[in-house]
């Protein structure tokens, strides 16, 4: 099986997963993060330190929690992009409830080829999405391309805890407990089973920091969150000299 066909299959599969779990996504996020994802996002927003009027593109925006946080912090305009129309439906609902239609634009699109010009945004963010894309290098290159010089590429993602006993408990939870919960909560055992699989393939914190640097991002920062079950990575696009 060639690289492109296997990444295509992954894309199709992940797409079908998100189309079907959209209604339960926020609840599953609570389960996946031990209800810490809001705290993680708060920490991330503090590190991003947005100014009024700052623009951002939020990739794999899903049900738009982060998109909304950014619009509230900077006043927008913020663009949310996701390939799942069903997820965006839930996102649109959230945006309407918070009366942020003027500040947030949601579009269906592919994180691998962003439909935007170079140097267009102050921030490019991806929350819990990088481990689901067919090629994370390509997505990071695209994120770097569309931010302005001096702009930030920000990734908040589940990670691999490095210290025991947390590590053992965590893997037990992920491989045994979570798929069962998925079965009970969303009746989607197979689809929650791919979560631990997607995580096993995903680079740990130091590796991802290295990939950020290889992409050409500078001042790369990597923070472990909740014992390393998640991590925040931030890189800055160099300002042009001359």
């Amino acid at each position: 099986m060639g690289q492109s066909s296997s990444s295509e299959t992954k894309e199709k599969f992940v797409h079908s997963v998100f189309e079907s779990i959209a209604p339960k996504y926020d609840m599953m996020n609570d389960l996946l993060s031990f209800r810490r994802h809001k705290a993680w996002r708060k920490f991330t927003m503090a590190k991003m330190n947005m100014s009024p009027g700052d623009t951002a593109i939020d990739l794999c925006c899903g049900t738009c929690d982060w998109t909304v946080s950014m619009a509230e912090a900077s006043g927008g305009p913020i663009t949310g992009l996701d390939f799942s129309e069903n997820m965006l439906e839930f996102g649109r609902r959230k945006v309407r409830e918070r009366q942020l239609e003027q500040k947030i634009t949601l579009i269906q699109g592919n994180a691998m080829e962003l439909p935007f010009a170079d140097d267009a945004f102050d921030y490019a963010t991806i929350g819990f999405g990088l481990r689901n894309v067919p090629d994370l290098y390509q997505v990071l290159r695209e994120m770097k391309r569309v931010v302005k010089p001096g702009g930030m590429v920000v990734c908040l993602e589940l990670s691999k805890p490095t210290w025991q006993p947390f590590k053992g408990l965590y893997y037990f939870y992920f491989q045994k407990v979570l798929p069962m919960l998925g079965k009970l909560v969303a009746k989607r055992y197979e689809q929650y089973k791919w979560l631990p699989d997607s995580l096993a393939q995903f680079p740990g914190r130091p590796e991802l920091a290295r990939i950020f640097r290889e992409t050409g991002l500078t001042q790369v920062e990597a923070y472990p969150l909740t014992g390393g079950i998640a991590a925040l990575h931030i890189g800055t696009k160099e300002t042009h000299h001359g």
Side-chain angles (χ1 to χ4, degrees):
M1 211 168 167
Q3 184 51 48
S4 68
S5 63
S6 72
S7 82
E8 222 164 86
T9 323
K10 172 175 178 175
E11 194 162 6
K12 281 204 182 73
F13 179 59
V14 170
H15 189 262
S16 73
V17 168
F18 281 103
E19 285 290 310
S20 64
I21 66 177
K24 299 277 198 300
Y25 183 74
D26 288 340
M27 180 160 85
M28 288 310 294
N29 250 354
D30 275 346
L31 285 174
L32 280 177
S33 69
F34 303 94
R35 304 203 92 148
R36 298 301 295 152
H37 61 103
K38 291 186 177 73
W40 298 342
R41 201 160 43 244
K42 213 170 158 182
F43 177 83
T44 300
M45 291 297 295
K47 291 289 174 206
M48 286 166 66
N49 192 18
M50 294 181 96
S51 304
D54 276 352
T55 59
I57 168 100
D58 186 22
L59 306 191
C60 308
C61 62
T63 53
C64 296
D65 284 335
W66 198 357
T67 326
V68 163
S69 294
M70 287 192 281
E72 288 171 344
S74 85
I78 310 292
T79 302
L81 175 137
D82 200 288
F83 68 167
S84 163
E85 192 45 58
N86 212 353
M87 291 289 266
L88 287 172
E89 243 342 281
F90 284 85
R92 283 192 195 98
R93 208 173 292 174
K94 219 171 264 184
V95 169
R96 277 197 302 273
E97 276 163 16
R98 291 175 176 66
Q99 299 177 324
L100 290 167
E101 294 100 324
Q102 302 307 306
K103 298 176 177 180
I104 293 175
T105 308
L106 296 182
I107 56 171
Q108 187 178 18
N110 183 354
M112 307 267 287
E113 10 176 355
L114 299 176
F116 297 101
D118 298 2
D119 307 339
F121 300 94
D122 297 303
Y123 295 85
T125 62
I126 186 162
F128 309 110
L130 199 59
R131 62 168 208 292
N132 300 325
V133 299
D135 180 347
L136 68 99
Y137 291 86
Q138 174 58 21
V139 171
L140 288 170
R141 279 194 295 272
E142 277 292 87
M143 290 174 81
K144 180 187 163 209
R145 180 181 70 74
V146 300
V147 296
K148 299 170 184 174
M152 274 184 188
V153 170
V154 186
C155 170
L156 177 57
E157 183 55 274
L158 296 173
S159 191
K160 300 179 170 94
T162 43
W163 48 278
Q164 288 291 14
F166 212 98
K167 195 171 166 180
L169 282 171
Y170 176 78
Y171 281 104
F172 174 75
Y173 175 74
F174 249 109
Q175 278 152 357
K176 303 286 187 291
V177 182
L178 192 78
M180 296 314 289
L181 286 173
K183 212 176 211 168
L184 295 171
V185 175
K187 304 193 174 50
R188 294 272 185 272
Y189 177 78
E190 279 312 307
Q191 292 156 334
Y192 283 103
K193 186 152 168 19
W194 70 263
L195 274 163
D197 301 345
S198 72
L199 206 55
Q201 308 304 313
F202 193 70
R205 194 170 70 249
E207 290 86 358
L208 190 55
R210 193 194 70 237
I211 293 167
F212 263 58
R213 290 188 195 96
E214 280 168 10
T215 309
L217 292 161
T218 62
Q219 301 167 44
V220 175
E221 301 163 46
Y223 303 93
L225 303 163
T226 312
I229 69 170
L232 168 64
H233 285 74
I234 298 178
T236 302
K237 178 165 168 174
E238 274 190 290
T239 43
H240 304 308
H241 301 296

